Amino acid sequence: MGVLCGLFGGAVTNLGSPEQKTKWYLPIRDLQFTGMFAMTERGHGSNVRGILTEAMYEPSSQKFIIHTPCEDAKKMYIGNAMKGNYAAVFAQLIMNGESQGPHCFIVPIRDERGNMYPGVSAVDMKHKEGLHGVDNGILAFDNVRIPRENLLSRFGAVSADGEYRSPVKSKGARFNAMLAALTPTRLALTVQAMAAMKLGLIIAVRYSHSRRQFGPKNQEEVKIIEHQTQYLRLMPHLAAALALTFTTRFAAEVMDEDLYHGRDLMNSRSLQALIAGLKAYSTWENLACLQDCRECTGGMVCSYFSVPTMKFVVVRELMAQYTKQFEDSAVFGHLKNWTSSASDSLRTSFLGFGVDKVGDLAFLLKALNYRERVLQRSLAARLYTKVEKNKDEFFDAWNSCLHHITSLALAHIHRVTLEQFALAVEACQVKQDQAVLTKFCLLHGTNLVYQERAWYLEHNYLTPTTSRQIRSQWLDLCKLVKDEALNVVSDFNIPACCVQAPIAGVANPRAEWAFYSPPLHPQPAGPHGKTAKPTSKL
């Protein structure tokens, strides 16, 4: 359903005309046919602008000819490739021998009986590590003719006599508009990655509160969650999952507001940057989290855990925002001013030695903001020096700064996630829930600073003493929240039918030997000494 409604349906609703939405989207709601999303090629994944699949218009027949000119142009990793009826295919639109850039076309793949249409071939990619419910395959097209009306025409259309028209004249702006229209799909991938994180954490936390191993001499063995190495690995991921939850909700609210008022997502560059950053951060955090969950559950988990270009979008927007601060100067004009400054007022340690205590959320927020601003400013200075002074090609200059760019993109999304987590804590109406969320919010912020403590020491933001305080705080917070973790993962509200892990207290006939009884949930005491019921929905 994700491929059908989110990807294929998303392409139609975001890139199609009102008439095309009626024709192609409404039927899939009733499952009258199935669809797929064909953008990635063997030779082009992230660089969509450079895809090789061709769509040439033939005025005599008023049809487009979809063609795969070489091996690198084959569409790969296509979900539903072995069963789908239609594909949203991205191809270079060629008019009179000139490419108008990538456009999206609805290409028939199979009829209602499952028979392939002439000129279309599909190859099963066979075994995968996960997501076995989606049959990924490779699509190729040999001069496949489709009606002129099958070009999704929100940003570009071709008349019967072969004239190309677009409300966006610039090819570059048109391409950006098409990608901006797919912003909801990027957010959906963030949600999917976050859901997998939560599932892994449910299994690992429950198992850690059930399994016992080692303990004081002549005494009962302790739960493995009591072992420091166990909770130090799991609790920061749980805090990150909560931070991503609140930040994703914020991004969804902003996007819904824009769509409700009919605003074009192309003009909301800050939203695009946020969602692009969330997609990258959530998938990277997903991989790290699930790997730790696997290792923290040992051999019991082998059968029950069933993912970079986004950073460029983030940094592009961050640099554009700073350009706007200097209305009378071109971008390299103010970059030059920055590099020639006698002193950089940001490169001080006044925040690290100010009135805020290391344990305060305000200190952590200021630290993340400081890191983002310094990285932003120093990247601008480096690019100016390479391009304007050394006369390097911009691609070479950009490529030589990729590590810096990645650091800036992550610094930005780290700061945003902590800010949104803090706002969610402030808005929480239930005092007990607010107290729990406060601990996890502090842990998330402390973990982000702790991970980059070498950078803060290099920039004199932290002293060795404050760095040690950060480490001590990180250790203490991980220990403090471990007993709250059971209730938090329960509030993820993932049903047992989706967990299916016997080590997490969910019986499974495939591995009865692996079953552990569900751990008892410690409940905080409510008013008058009564046990309070959890009210959060995370």
Side-chain angles (χ1 to χ4, degrees), residues 274-302:
L274 171 60
I275 292 179
L278 279 174
K279 179 187 173 185
Y281 178 49
S282 63
T283 50
W284 288 338
E285 181 62 28
N286 167 282
L287 289 174
C289 173
L290 293 184
Q291 183 61 26
D292 278 337
C293 287
R294 289 186 184 100
E295 294 179 9
C296 284
T297 47
M300 298 295 292
V301 76
C302 59

Side-chain angles (χ1 to χ4, degrees), residues 2-4 7-8 34-45 51 53 68 72-90 105 107 109-110 116 120-126 128 131-141:
V3 173
L4 178 59
L7 295 176
F8 177 84
T34 58
M36 58 199 93
F37 185 83
M39 176 185 283
T40 300
E41 296 179 351
R42 178 187 176 93
H44 291 85
I51 59 174
T53 302
T68 303
D72 279 348
K74 289 183 176 179
K75 300 294 185 181
M76 296 191 71
Y77 313 107
I78 309 306
N80 288 349
M82 306 313 296
K83 297 178 182 177
N85 301 111
Y86 293 91
V89 177
F90 284 78
F105 302 81
V107 181
I109 305 298
R110 296 177 180 82
M116 300 286 291
V120 181
S121 63
V123 177
D124 192 351
M125 297 184 75
K126 298 184 178 179
K128 299 188 301 177
L131 288 179
H132 295 146
V134 180
D135 55 330
N136 293 82
I138 302 170
L139 295 179
F141 309 96

Side-chain angles (χ1 to χ4, degrees), residues 18-31:
E19 296 77 18
Q20 289 171 326
K21 294 176 188 177
T22 301
K23 179 179 180 180
W24 297 109
Y25 185 73
L26 293 183
I28 67 173
R29 296 195 308 185
D30 299 326
L31 298 181

Side-chain angles (χ1 to χ4, degrees), residues 247-314:
T247 308
T248 302
R249 287 180 183 176
F250 165 72
E253 289 170 2
V254 173
M255 186 175 67
D256 286 346
E257 186 73 9
D258 285 348
L259 294 175
Y260 176 78
H261 290 286
R263 301 175 190 138
D264 199 325
L265 294 179
M266 178 178 63
N267 298 322
S268 185
R269 298 290 291 272
S270 59
L271 176 63
Q272 290 181 53
L274 171 60
I275 292 179
L278 279 174
K279 179 187 173 185
Y281 178 49
S282 63
T283 50
W284 288 338
E285 181 62 28
N286 167 282
L287 289 174
C289 173
L290 293 184
Q291 183 61 26
D292 278 337
C293 287
R294 289 186 184 100
E295 294 179 9
C296 284
T297 47
M300 298 295 292
V301 76
C302 59
S303 300
Y304 296 100
F305 274 115
S306 319
V307 262
T309 59
M310 295 299 102
K311 58 182 176 286
F312 301 147
V313 180
V314 180

Side-chain angles (χ1 to χ4, degrees), residues 209-379:
H209 276 271
S210 298
R211 174 75 184 273
R212 293 179 179 271
Q213 194 75 264
F214 302 109
K217 187 176 181 180
N218 299 324
Q219 295 184 34
E220 184 183 21
E221 292 182 305
V222 301
K223 297 175 182 177
I224 61 174
I225 193 64
E226 299 297 335
H227 294 289
Q228 188 184 58
T229 51
Q230 191 81 351
Y231 63 72
L232 288 183
R233 297 183 75 177
L234 294 178
M235 295 305 102
H237 291 307
L238 184 52
L242 292 173
L244 280 167
T245 297
F246 296 122
T247 308
T248 302
R249 287 180 183 176
F250 165 72
E253 289 170 2
V254 173
M255 186 175 67
D256 286 346
E257 186 73 9
D258 285 348
L259 294 175
Y260 176 78
H261 290 286
R263 301 175 190 138
D264 199 325
L265 294 179
M266 178 178 63
N267 298 322
S268 185
R269 298 290 291 272
S270 59
L271 176 63
Q272 290 181 53
L274 171 60
I275 292 179
L278 279 174
K279 179 187 173 185
Y281 178 49
S282 63
T283 50
W284 288 338
E285 181 62 28
N286 167 282
L287 289 174
C289 173
L290 293 184
Q291 183 61 26
D292 278 337
C293 287
R294 289 186 184 100
E295 294 179 9
C296 284
T297 47
M300 298 295 292
V301 76
C302 59
S303 300
Y304 296 100
F305 274 115
S306 319
V307 262
T309 59
M310 295 299 102
K311 58 182 176 286
F312 301 147
V313 180
V314 180
V315 173
R316 181 187 64 188
E317 171 59 16
L318 292 176
M319 303 310 287
Q321 288 177 4
Y322 272 75
T323 303
K324 293 175 184 177
Q325 296 180 10
F326 297 80
E327 296 179 355
D328 298 328
S329 301
V331 59
F332 283 112
H334 72 265
L335 297 187
K336 180 178 180 180
N337 292 335
W338 287 353
T339 58
S340 61
S341 298
S343 62
D344 184 348
S345 60
L346 285 175
R347 296 178 63 84
T348 68
S349 57
F350 72 94
L351 289 177
F353 297 99
V355 296
D356 297 313
K357 297 180 181 178
V358 172
D360 292 342
L361 184 58
F363 175 92
L364 301 171
L365 286 167
K366 288 179 181 179
L368 296 183
N369 185 61
Y370 170 83
R371 174 170 159 78
E372 180 186 2
R373 289 188 297 154
V374 170
L375 287 171
Q376 198 169 35
R377 193 159 184 159
S378 56
L379 175 60

Side-chain angles (χ1 to χ4, degrees), residues 527-538:
H528 313 297
K530 296 181 179 180
T531 300
K533 295 182 179 180
T535 57
S536 298
K537 294 293 180 288
L538 300 171

